[in-house]
Amino acid sequence: MTETRISLVAALQAKTPAAWSELDRLYRPLIRNWLSRYQLDSSDLEDLTQDVLSILFQEIRRFDHNGRTGAFRKWIRQTTVNVTRNFLRKRREIGGGGKEIQDMIVQLQDPASELSGQFEREHDQFVMRHILKMTKASFEASTFEIFRYHVLEEHSPDETAQRFQTSLANVYKIKSRVIRKMRELAADLIDESYFS
């Protein structure tokens, strides 16, 4: 399933405008939201978000996708962490923050910290919402409605078949098709556990 995302990486490395538009559309709001917790004024928030995206643009050629789930996501997270950590250090050096800023820097450096875990969770939730929108656009409304009712609202296959006056086999078929499409769109962006 990493093939789709690896081809996105290849398109980014080739500086394909469509790939950069996709990356910007997907990650700018997430990065901005994540950075907003640091009590930044709006200009610092915009500058830091743009710094992260600029570094991603500059460094993408050095990124070597190892085929492991989450490699691209982890690279984006680490870039965001590095930019944030450098900004917070500079802020502390000129007299801003203090212990609170130092605690944030320590947490940012630790991939097992609660702050790092929170980034991972927010990332996956944000990307999943984006993937659901993209997936919904790939299917007829009635097909996606069956999937939504059965999988997202957690109704049994029998209830779903009755509600939509369709066969049980069709409910399973729709679930399989939609999840396959979601996995394709999500390759390397979120963990496979979301689809179990």
Short mmCIF file of all heavy atoms in Angstrom, two decimals, residues 27 30-31 34-35 37 73-74 76-78 80-81 108 113-125:
data_model
loop_
_atom_site.label_atom_id
_atom_site.label_comp_id
_atom_site.label_asym_id
_atom_site.label_seq_id
_atom_site.Cartn_x
_atom_site.Cartn_y
_atom_site.Cartn_z
N TYR A 27 -1.43 19.54 4.61
CA TYR A 27 -0.61 19.74 5.81
C TYR A 27 -0.59 21.16 6.36
O TYR A 27 -0.35 21.34 7.55
CB TYR A 27 0.82 19.25 5.56
CG TYR A 27 0.89 17.76 5.70
CD1 TYR A 27 0.81 16.93 4.59
CD2 TYR A 27 0.96 17.17 6.96
CE1 TYR A 27 0.83 15.55 4.74
CE2 TYR A 27 0.99 15.80 7.11
CZ TYR A 27 0.93 15.00 5.99
OH TYR A 27 0.94 13.65 6.15
N LEU A 30 -2.99 21.49 9.29
CA LEU A 30 -2.57 20.65 10.40
C LEU A 30 -1.37 21.27 11.12
O LEU A 30 -1.35 21.37 12.35
CB LEU A 30 -2.21 19.24 9.90
CG LEU A 30 -1.67 18.29 10.97
CD1 LEU A 30 -2.78 17.93 11.96
CD2 LEU A 30 -1.10 17.03 10.33
N ILE A 31 -0.37 21.68 10.36
CA ILE A 31 0.83 22.29 10.96
C ILE A 31 0.44 23.57 11.70
O ILE A 31 0.86 23.80 12.84
CB ILE A 31 1.89 22.56 9.88
CG1 ILE A 31 2.45 21.23 9.34
CG2 ILE A 31 3.01 23.43 10.41
CD1 ILE A 31 3.24 21.35 8.05
N TRP A 34 -1.34 22.72 14.91
CA TRP A 34 -0.42 22.18 15.91
C TRP A 34 0.44 23.27 16.52
O TRP A 34 0.66 23.30 17.72
CB TRP A 34 0.43 21.08 15.28
CG TRP A 34 1.13 20.26 16.31
CD1 TRP A 34 0.56 19.38 17.17
CD2 TRP A 34 2.52 20.27 16.60
NE1 TRP A 34 1.53 18.81 17.97
CE2 TRP A 34 2.73 19.35 17.63
CE3 TRP A 34 3.61 20.95 16.07
CZ2 TRP A 34 4.00 19.10 18.16
CZ3 TRP A 34 4.86 20.71 16.59
CH2 TRP A 34 5.04 19.79 17.63
N LEU A 35 0.91 24.19 15.71
CA LEU A 35 1.75 25.28 16.21
C LEU A 35 0.96 26.29 17.04
O LEU A 35 1.53 26.99 17.88
CB LEU A 35 2.41 26.01 15.04
CG LEU A 35 3.46 25.22 14.25
CD1 LEU A 35 3.87 25.98 12.99
CD2 LEU A 35 4.67 24.90 15.11
N ARG A 37 -0.80 26.03 19.55
CA ARG A 37 -0.82 25.80 21.00
C ARG A 37 0.30 26.55 21.74
O ARG A 37 0.34 26.56 22.95
CB ARG A 37 -0.74 24.31 21.31
CG ARG A 37 0.61 23.70 21.10
CD ARG A 37 0.57 22.19 21.13
NE ARG A 37 -0.18 21.74 19.99
CZ ARG A 37 -1.09 20.77 20.02
NH1 ARG A 37 -1.32 20.11 21.12
NH2 ARG A 37 -1.74 20.42 18.94
N ARG A 73 5.10 10.60 7.14
CA ARG A 73 4.47 11.34 8.25
C ARG A 73 5.50 11.69 9.31
O ARG A 73 5.53 12.81 9.82
CB ARG A 73 3.36 10.49 8.86
CG ARG A 73 2.73 11.12 10.09
CD ARG A 73 1.85 10.17 10.83
NE ARG A 73 2.63 9.06 11.32
CZ ARG A 73 2.15 7.87 11.60
NH1 ARG A 73 0.88 7.62 11.44
NH2 ARG A 73 2.91 6.91 12.05
N LYS A 74 6.35 10.73 9.66
CA LYS A 74 7.37 10.97 10.70
C LYS A 74 8.36 12.03 10.24
O LYS A 74 8.82 12.84 11.05
CB LYS A 74 8.06 9.67 11.05
CG LYS A 74 7.16 8.77 11.86
CD LYS A 74 7.76 7.44 12.14
CE LYS A 74 6.72 6.60 12.88
NZ LYS A 74 6.98 5.19 12.82
N ILE A 76 7.70 14.55 8.21
CA ILE A 76 7.01 15.84 8.32
C ILE A 76 6.91 16.26 9.78
O ILE A 76 7.15 17.42 10.12
CB ILE A 76 5.62 15.78 7.65
CG1 ILE A 76 5.81 15.70 6.13
CG2 ILE A 76 4.76 16.98 8.04
CD1 ILE A 76 4.54 15.54 5.35
N ARG A 77 6.60 15.32 10.65
CA ARG A 77 6.53 15.63 12.08
C ARG A 77 7.88 16.12 12.58
O ARG A 77 7.97 17.13 13.28
CB ARG A 77 6.10 14.41 12.88
CG ARG A 77 6.06 14.69 14.38
CD ARG A 77 5.98 13.39 15.20
NE ARG A 77 6.23 13.68 16.58
CZ ARG A 77 7.43 13.81 17.13
NH1 ARG A 77 8.50 13.68 16.41
NH2 ARG A 77 7.55 14.10 18.40
N GLN A 78 8.95 15.43 12.22
CA GLN A 78 10.28 15.81 12.71
C GLN A 78 10.68 17.19 12.20
O GLN A 78 11.28 17.98 12.93
CB GLN A 78 11.33 14.78 12.30
CG GLN A 78 12.66 14.97 13.01
CD GLN A 78 12.53 14.94 14.53
OE1 GLN A 78 11.95 14.03 15.09
NE2 GLN A 78 13.05 15.96 15.19
N THR A 80 8.60 19.63 11.49
CA THR A 80 7.79 20.57 12.28
C THR A 80 8.39 20.74 13.67
O THR A 80 8.50 21.86 14.18
CB THR A 80 6.34 20.07 12.38
OG1 THR A 80 5.83 19.85 11.06
CG2 THR A 80 5.45 21.07 13.11
N VAL A 81 8.79 19.63 14.29
CA VAL A 81 9.40 19.67 15.62
C VAL A 81 10.68 20.51 15.59
O VAL A 81 10.91 21.35 16.47
CB VAL A 81 9.68 18.24 16.13
CG1 VAL A 81 10.66 18.24 17.29
CG2 VAL A 81 8.37 17.57 16.53
N LEU A 108 9.27 18.05 22.93
CA LEU A 108 9.39 17.97 21.49
C LEU A 108 10.53 17.05 21.07
O LEU A 108 10.46 16.38 20.04
CB LEU A 108 9.60 19.36 20.88
CG LEU A 108 8.38 20.26 20.84
CD1 LEU A 108 8.80 21.68 20.48
CD2 LEU A 108 7.36 19.74 19.86
N SER A 113 7.03 11.28 24.16
CA SER A 113 6.35 12.19 25.09
C SER A 113 4.87 12.31 24.75
O SER A 113 4.44 11.99 23.64
CB SER A 113 7.00 13.58 25.05
OG SER A 113 6.65 14.25 23.84
N GLU A 114 4.11 12.82 25.70
CA GLU A 114 2.68 13.04 25.49
C GLU A 114 2.45 14.04 24.36
O GLU A 114 1.55 13.87 23.54
CB GLU A 114 2.01 13.54 26.78
CG GLU A 114 0.55 13.92 26.63
CD GLU A 114 -0.34 12.80 26.07
OE1 GLU A 114 -0.07 11.62 26.33
OE2 GLU A 114 -1.31 13.13 25.37
N LEU A 115 3.28 15.08 24.28
CA LEU A 115 3.15 16.08 23.23
C LEU A 115 3.36 15.45 21.85
O LEU A 115 2.60 15.71 20.92
CB LEU A 115 4.14 17.22 23.46
CG LEU A 115 4.02 18.43 22.53
CD1 LEU A 115 2.65 19.08 22.62
CD2 LEU A 115 5.11 19.43 22.84
N SER A 116 4.37 14.60 21.73
CA SER A 116 4.61 13.91 20.46
C SER A 116 3.47 12.97 20.11
O SER A 116 3.03 12.89 18.96
CB SER A 116 5.93 13.13 20.52
OG SER A 116 7.02 14.02 20.64
N GLY A 117 2.97 12.27 21.11
CA GLY A 117 1.83 11.38 20.89
C GLY A 117 0.60 12.15 20.46
O GLY A 117 -0.17 11.70 19.60
N GLN A 118 0.41 13.33 21.05
CA GLN A 118 -0.72 14.18 20.68
C GLN A 118 -0.61 14.61 19.22
O GLN A 118 -1.60 14.62 18.49
CB GLN A 118 -0.78 15.39 21.59
CG GLN A 118 -2.01 16.23 21.41
CD GLN A 118 -2.09 17.35 22.43
OE1 GLN A 118 -1.26 17.48 23.33
NE2 GLN A 118 -3.09 18.19 22.29
N PHE A 119 0.61 14.96 18.78
CA PHE A 119 0.81 15.31 17.38
C PHE A 119 0.41 14.15 16.47
O PHE A 119 -0.29 14.34 15.48
CB PHE A 119 2.28 15.69 17.12
CG PHE A 119 2.56 16.01 15.68
CD1 PHE A 119 2.41 17.31 15.21
CD2 PHE A 119 2.96 15.03 14.78
CE1 PHE A 119 2.66 17.61 13.87
CE2 PHE A 119 3.21 15.33 13.45
CZ PHE A 119 3.06 16.62 12.99
N GLU A 120 0.85 12.93 16.83
CA GLU A 120 0.53 11.75 16.03
C GLU A 120 -0.98 11.54 15.94
O GLU A 120 -1.52 11.29 14.86
CB GLU A 120 1.20 10.50 16.62
CG GLU A 120 2.71 10.53 16.60
CD GLU A 120 3.30 10.42 15.20
OE1 GLU A 120 2.72 9.73 14.35
OE2 GLU A 120 4.35 11.05 14.97
N ARG A 121 -1.67 11.65 17.08
CA ARG A 121 -3.13 11.44 17.09
C ARG A 121 -3.84 12.51 16.26
O ARG A 121 -4.72 12.21 15.47
CB ARG A 121 -3.66 11.44 18.52
CG ARG A 121 -3.27 10.18 19.31
CD ARG A 121 -3.94 10.15 20.67
NE ARG A 121 -3.57 11.26 21.54
CZ ARG A 121 -2.49 11.32 22.30
NH1 ARG A 121 -1.63 10.31 22.29
NH2 ARG A 121 -2.25 12.36 23.07
N GLU A 122 -3.45 13.77 16.46
CA GLU A 122 -4.08 14.86 15.71
C GLU A 122 -3.82 14.70 14.22
O GLU A 122 -4.71 14.94 13.40
CB GLU A 122 -3.56 16.21 16.20
CG GLU A 122 -4.10 16.61 17.54
CD GLU A 122 -3.51 17.92 18.04
OE1 GLU A 122 -2.84 18.64 17.26
OE2 GLU A 122 -3.71 18.23 19.22
N HIS A 123 -2.61 14.30 13.88
CA HIS A 123 -2.27 14.07 12.48
C HIS A 123 -3.20 13.03 11.87
O HIS A 123 -3.81 13.25 10.83
CB HIS A 123 -0.82 13.62 12.35
CG HIS A 123 -0.45 13.16 10.98
ND1 HIS A 123 -0.69 11.87 10.54
CD2 HIS A 123 0.10 13.82 9.95
CE1 HIS A 123 -0.28 11.77 9.30
NE2 HIS A 123 0.20 12.93 8.90
N ASP A 124 -3.30 11.89 12.52
CA ASP A 124 -4.10 10.79 11.97
C ASP A 124 -5.58 11.17 11.87
O ASP A 124 -6.24 10.86 10.88
CB ASP A 124 -3.93 9.52 12.80
CG ASP A 124 -2.56 8.89 12.60
OD1 ASP A 124 -1.78 9.37 11.75
OD2 ASP A 124 -2.26 7.90 13.29
N GLN A 125 -6.11 11.87 12.87
CA GLN A 125 -7.51 12.29 12.82
C GLN A 125 -7.75 13.30 11.70
O GLN A 125 -8.73 13.20 10.96
CB GLN A 125 -7.93 12.89 14.17
CG GLN A 125 -8.01 11.87 15.28
CD GLN A 125 -8.07 12.50 16.66
OE1 GLN A 125 -8.07 13.71 16.80
NE2 GLN A 125 -8.12 11.66 17.68
#
